[in-house]
Amino acid sequence: DGKAKPVPNEMRGDHIPQTQQYAVEDVLVDLLDLAARSLRLGGRLVYWLPTTYDFTDADLPRHPCLGTCANSEQPLTQKHGRRLITMEKVAEYDDAEAGAYKASSMVSASAPFARLRERMEGDELAGSLDRREKKRRKLEGCTEEGGS
């Protein structure tokens, strides 16, 4: 029936709620819409966005009521990084336009960040190893050689 079952009182102490998959693009569209609804004019939203190095400013998620103030990149590995995105509310939210706002934001969800997990796990990045993984493999190689 789609309704959540209540958790019995005796099980609430260590209960972990069930989770569902929530695609990155859907999270970002919802985040931008919530910020556009909730912030006052001039208010800011700041969030981390995981990226690969082929990410460009044109790939940033957008919302008609929010403007991008800052976009700072932080490298994490040879192929992955993250960006600290700062957006400012520049227009009042109009409830009558809610559908159009979401549709506009979904257009930017087709940008490369929308398929980030697949790109990070796919063949396109299969040859890359982050520093920790390289170090682990190097240590394993030394241990195997030293142990013989």
Side-chain angles (χ1 to χ4, degrees), residues 41-93:
L41 277 176
R44 292 188 174 192
L45 167 68
V46 180
Y47 63 95
W48 285 110
L49 181 66
T51 63
T52 55
Y53 292 118
D54 59 349
F55 188 91
T56 67
D57 288 347
D59 296 327
L60 280 174
R62 309 222 183 279
H63 190 284
C65 296
L66 303 170
T68 303
C69 301
N71 173 1
S72 305
E73 182 179 28
Q74 179 185 26
L76 298 175
T77 67
Q78 288 181 339
K79 294 285 183 176
H80 308 110
R82 63 183 179 179
R83 292 179 180 258
L84 184 64
I85 309 297
T86 304
M87 301 182 88
E88 184 174 333
K89 186 169 180 176
V90 295
E92 288 293 346
Y93 191 94

